[in-house]
Amino acid sequence: MKIVKHIANLGYGSRKQVALMFREGRITDAAGEVLYADDPVEHDNIRVDGEPLDPAPGLALMLHKPVGYTCSTKDAGRLIYDLLPPRFRQRSPVLSSVGRLDRETSGLLLMTDDGALLHRIISPKSNLPKVYEATLAQDLRGNEADVFASGTLLLESETTPLAPAVLEAVEPRRARLTLTEGRYHQVRRMFAAVGNHVETLHRSRIGGLALEDLPSGQWRALDDADLATLFIHAG
Ligand code: URA
């Protein structure tokens, strides 16, 4: 691909704007030599205003989503894209979230521009466990683990029962729930089905990948080792 198009696709501007950036000498190689639009040059050797280019397509990242942000490109209010460099919203291929977290849910959210990777993560075949930490309005009754593990729990207005899920009681009003599905508002609806109410919800892990010490509102790119960790429990 021509580098003007490559850089434009990363969200730096239209092709016309990027061509102008070349003419202005703003695009150099790593040694500071001014580049011309038809120079053959590798992604990693390109600098814009002295800064390395944003990650090439094939980007996957983890975001520690705070409460109050919506997983959407254009809803009213704060969006997950507000937590990323503004250029990331202009990228082609598009950077999308892998599934969604509710606005009031915090925690681990994956994003990628790699459609095949996205489908592999959400595919039922991968069977990736997702771990949620919930605080509840009422004490656990004691039967929830059995109900959730049964494989027969039917949520309101659904026709297929939920796959078995694992509940661990952490405190009377705190539970860790491991799911392999991702139905709409699933955790909140599961607790509603057993007469409780989720007050706070946080996703701490997907597959083998945990948020660890990534602060709220921060993101980091995933490398091949992270992706191997993600799929460690797959299948
Ligand atoms: N289940 C929910 O209810 N909400 C989320 O955001 C994720 C899982």
Side-chain angles (χ1 to χ4, degrees):
M1 188 189 294
K2 291 265 170 38
I3 45 176
V4 170
K5 186 168 181 215
H6 178 67
I7 296 173
N9 283 353
L10 293 175
Y12 285 82
S14 64
R15 282 193 232 180
K16 213 168 148 183
Q17 288 165 326
V18 173
L20 181 62
M21 289 160 73
F22 272 99
R23 289 203 294 280
E24 290 171 340
R26 294 172 56 195
I27 304 187
T28 62
D29 66 11
E33 286 293 318
V34 170
L35 290 172
Y36 294 91
D38 46 9
D39 282 344
V41 59
E42 297 292 322
H43 176 96
D44 290 346
N45 194 23
I46 302 175
R47 302 287 178 273
V48 176
D49 299 329
E51 297 294 324
L53 279 184
D54 290 342
L59 171 63
L61 62 85
M62 62 153 82
L63 171 68
H64 184 161
K65 180 192 166 304
V67 164
Y69 285 77
T70 307
C71 294
S72 153
T73 47
K74 50 179 180 285
D75 275 19
R78 288 175 292 177
L79 308 178
I80 51 170
Y81 290 91
D82 300 338
L83 300 163
L84 303 173
R87 277 196 296 272
F88 281 21
R89 214 186 290 216
Q90 315 295 337
R91 285 171 67 103
S92 170
V94 168
L95 180 69
S96 11
S97 66
V98 179
R100 287 175 171 222
L101 289 176
D102 302 338
R103 190 161 64 94
E104 299 314 322
T105 302
S106 60
L108 176 57
L109 184 72
L110 301 179
M111 299 182 76
T112 185
D113 61 9
D114 178 340
L117 175 65
L118 188 147
H119 284 109
R120 187 169 167 224
I121 298 171
I122 62 175
S123 165
K125 279 195 213 137
S126 294
N127 208 26
L128 285 188
K130 291 171 277 283
V131 180
Y132 294 89
E133 316 287 334
T135 60
L136 305 166
Q138 292 168 54
D139 287 1
L140 291 160
R141 291 177 182 157
N143 67 334
E144 294 87 348
D146 290 341
V147 175
F148 293 167
S150 68
T152 59
L153 179 62
L154 201 56
L155 293 178
E156 212 178 295
S157 76
E158 294 206 358
T159 50
T160 336
L162 294 178
V166 177
L167 177 121
E168 208 183 309
V170 179
E171 285 174 11
R173 293 193 184 183
R174 275 188 56 208
R176 180 167 302 126
L177 185 58
T178 304
L179 308 182
T180 53
E181 301 175 289
R183 301 199 200 180
Y184 181 66
H185 288 174
Q186 183 167 341
V187 175
R188 294 174 200 277
R189 290 163 75 211
M190 286 172 77
F191 280 104
V194 292
N196 213 323
H197 175 76
V198 170
E199 293 206 316
T200 69
L201 187 59
H202 176 85
R203 183 159 66 192
S204 55
R205 180 178 286 273
I206 301 176
L209 204 60
L211 264 180
E212 290 175 355
D213 51 7
L214 187 67
S216 177
Q218 302 290 304
W219 65 278
R220 73 169 177 84
L222 300 180
D223 60 18
D224 289 348
D226 291 315
L227 294 177
T229 304
L230 172 66
F231 287 110
I232 230 158
H233 298 293

